[in-house]
Structure formats: C-alpha cells, structure tokens
Amino acid sequence: MIVTYTTSGNITEIVVDFSDENVELVGRTSVVGDQQKAEAYLPFFERDLRRNFAHLFPQPEQTNTMGGVE
Amino acid sequence: MGELRYKDSVTGALVVPSGSNGAIKTQIASSAGAELFTSSNPGKVVVDGVSVNITAPSADTITATPVTGVKTVTATAAEIFAGASALSGRKKLLIRNDDQAVRMRVGASSVTQQSGFPVEPGAVVEFSFDAATAKAIYAISEGAAITVEVWES
C-alpha cells in the first residue's frame, strides 16, 4: 500500500494506492489536523477500504481445520 | 384511463413542470392523447377527498448509482463518505450511527467532539447537495471509535 500525505492549512489529505498489491483501488480522504493525525487515522481508513472493497482483494485460501473423516 | 399533462402557457408545447414562461397549464387528455377539454368543449375537473402528488426530476432525484459502505469514525475529525472517496456529483449522503452508546458529530472541517451536529446512537442524518458543488462533510466520535453505515448517491 502506497500512502501519500498532503497538508494544507489544518487539513491533511491521505491518498492510499493498493496497486503494489495488484489491486486497482485508490482511496482518498482528508482529516482535520497535521500529518501525525492523519497517520493515526490511516489504519482505520485502510481497514474500511479493505472491508468495503473486499471483493477486489485476493482472499486467503481456506484450510480444512476440522480434520475430516478417516 | 386518462393522464395529466403540463403545457407551456405561451408556446402550448408539452413540458416537464418547471415553471418556465409563467404559470403551468393543466391539460386533461384521453389515453389516445386527445385533449378532452377545450374552449369549444369546456369541462371541469374536481379533486375532492384525495391527495395528488406531482413528482418531477429535482435535485433530490437519484440519478447516480448509490454507493454504500461501513466506515469507522474516530476521535479525529475525518471526511465521511461511503466508498473509496467522496462520490463525485453526489446529491445525497446518509449516515447511520451504528453504535449503541457513543454519539458522533458531523459538520464542516471545524467540527469537534464538542461542536457540530450531534448524531445520537442509532440515529440517521441526511444531507442533500447541489451535485455541481462538492462539499466535504466531516465526522468525529465523541468517544471511542465507532462504526457507521453510509449511503451516497
């Protein structure tokens, strides 16, 4: 995930680009505050994007943990 | 069954109700399209005991595919929208506070945990926009991080 911060006045824009994960998704938001505030908010923004656009991300392979019938 | 039409009072052309060229003229037509009441064949329409709703495209009419999403609102004021970024040309923004105890506040970038429009737990707030003018809406939790549901269209 490539993250870019741009601060203008008391607003910091966050741009996250998932192209390095081979996912065509770019998220863009802004927070009130400096880059430090934006960095603190980033994990929530990233989680929301991965949840709302789960269909774009490769799903982990299912493993059978039940053991099955011998 | 007949239908209710709107005619431009100056040109006489059928129009979508918009109020252009003065008052809207109401024309009663048959299902075949013929005007039922004319100056040579006057009639009367009585609307009694019923309600009439006339709907025309307006700023509130949804024309774009809606976007829905789950967002986390924290103690840092952040822009709120449903997708990966604010929907371009949006007309509606609905936010439901899914938390059962924590209130959030919404408003401009000046919103704080003490100021801004309060959205109680379980409540829904709705914003209407001029699609041609992008306006960012910010949200902040009054306490811990909370989950909200968002609709944009």
Side-chain angles (χ1 to χ4, degrees), chain B residues 113-130:
Chain B
Q113 289 180 300
Q114 290 79 38
S115 68
F117 188 79
V119 184
E120 302 291 338
V124 177
V125 63
E126 176 180 336
F127 298 91
S128 296
F129 300 90
D130 175 355

Side-chain angles (χ1 to χ4, degrees), chain B residues 52-104:
Chain B
V52 178
N53 294 317
I54 299 174
T55 305
S58 71
D60 288 341
T61 304
I62 294 172
T63 53
T65 303
V67 180
T68 59
V70 177
K71 302 291 282 188
T72 307
V73 175
T74 72
T76 295
E79 199 177 346
I80 187 131
F81 44 78
S85 58
L87 182 66
S88 177
R90 72 180 171 189
K91 294 178 179 177
K92 286 277 183 195
L93 171 66
L94 281 80
I95 309 164
R96 188 180 74 186
N97 180 354
D98 271 355
D99 199 82
Q100 296 188 339
V102 179
R103 188 162 61 181
M104 61 182 277

Side-chain angles (χ1 to χ4, degrees), chain B residues 1 35 39 41 49 54 79 81 83-84 86 106 108 110-111 116 128 147 150:
Chain B
M1 180 186 291
E35 188 174 3
S39 56
N41 181 33
I54 299 174
E79 199 177 346
F81 44 78
V106 293
S110 57
V111 68
S128 296
T147 299
V150 187

Side-chain angles (χ1 to χ4, degrees), chain A residues 11 26-32 41 44-45 47-49 51-53, chain B residues 69-72 74 76-79 81-85 109 138 145:
Chain A
I11 301 291
V26 176
R28 186 185 302 271
T29 190
S30 58
V31 302
V32 179
Y41 178 71
F44 298 100
F45 186 52
R47 188 182 65 182
D48 290 342
L49 287 171
R51 175 167 47 183
N52 289 323
F53 295 92
Chain B
V70 177
K71 302 291 282 188
T72 307
T74 72
T76 295
E79 199 177 346
F81 44 78
S85 58
S109 61
Y138 290 82

